Amino acid sequence: MKIALASDHGGFALKEQIKEHLKNRGFELLDLGTNSEESVDYPLFGKACGEAIASGKAELGIICCGTGIGISIAANKVCGVRCALATNEYMAEMAKKHNDANILALGGRVLNLQEATKIVDTWLDTEFEGGRHQRRVDMLNEM
Ligand code: RB5
């Protein structure tokens, strides 16, 4: 399973910490930047991750900006992306269980590492429920 990672400067530190955690869990990673705390534009990085998922270069993505809001909006502009912003474990669980979110967005200025790690692990370890939720995801895919 390959996971794409991307962030702007506001999410850079969190992206780097999550990268270490995912390496330790044995995932293959595709880091799409940014690579420092120098100011960059989050739409570029949300788009890059969205395109990596849509093209099949990675199966799942995790993206971070200051709040997680801007970069999630950008990723969701890419057809085939279902990016969910999660601020707690319940949202992360539902994002996968009901929405089959293929990208998780996090706020580097909102979450500490412990909170973010729990959110990431919950999302990765939860299965999509299918059933009536598949119909709704199909509707999203048609849009
Ligand atoms: C950058 O200062 C900040 O606006 C960005 O990281 C993000 O929070 C946008 O939604």
Side-chain angles (χ1 to χ4, degrees), residues 65-141:
C65 67
T67 57
I69 296 170
I71 202 162
S72 65
I73 293 171
N76 273 317
K77 296 275 182 189
V78 180
C79 195
V81 167
R82 292 178 304 283
C83 176
L85 171 61
T87 55
N88 59 48
E89 287 170 74
Y90 179 73
M91 290 176 76
E93 184 187 342
M94 289 303 132
K96 184 66 85 55
K97 212 181 238 184
H98 287 189
N99 311 116
D100 198 20
N102 48 15
I103 300 183
L104 177 70
L106 302 171
R109 297 172 183 158
V110 177
L111 302 168
N112 63 39
L113 178 61
Q114 196 188 4
E115 291 165 334
T117 304
K118 281 187 192 161
I119 288 170
V120 164
D121 285 343
T122 300
W123 178 67
L124 288 174
D125 297 339
T126 300
E127 296 285 325
F128 177 50
E129 219 170 64
R132 68 187 187 282
H133 301 295
Q134 183 62 62
R135 187 179 73 247
R136 293 160 185 167
V137 168
D138 289 344
M139 290 168 77
L140 292 174
N141 290 339

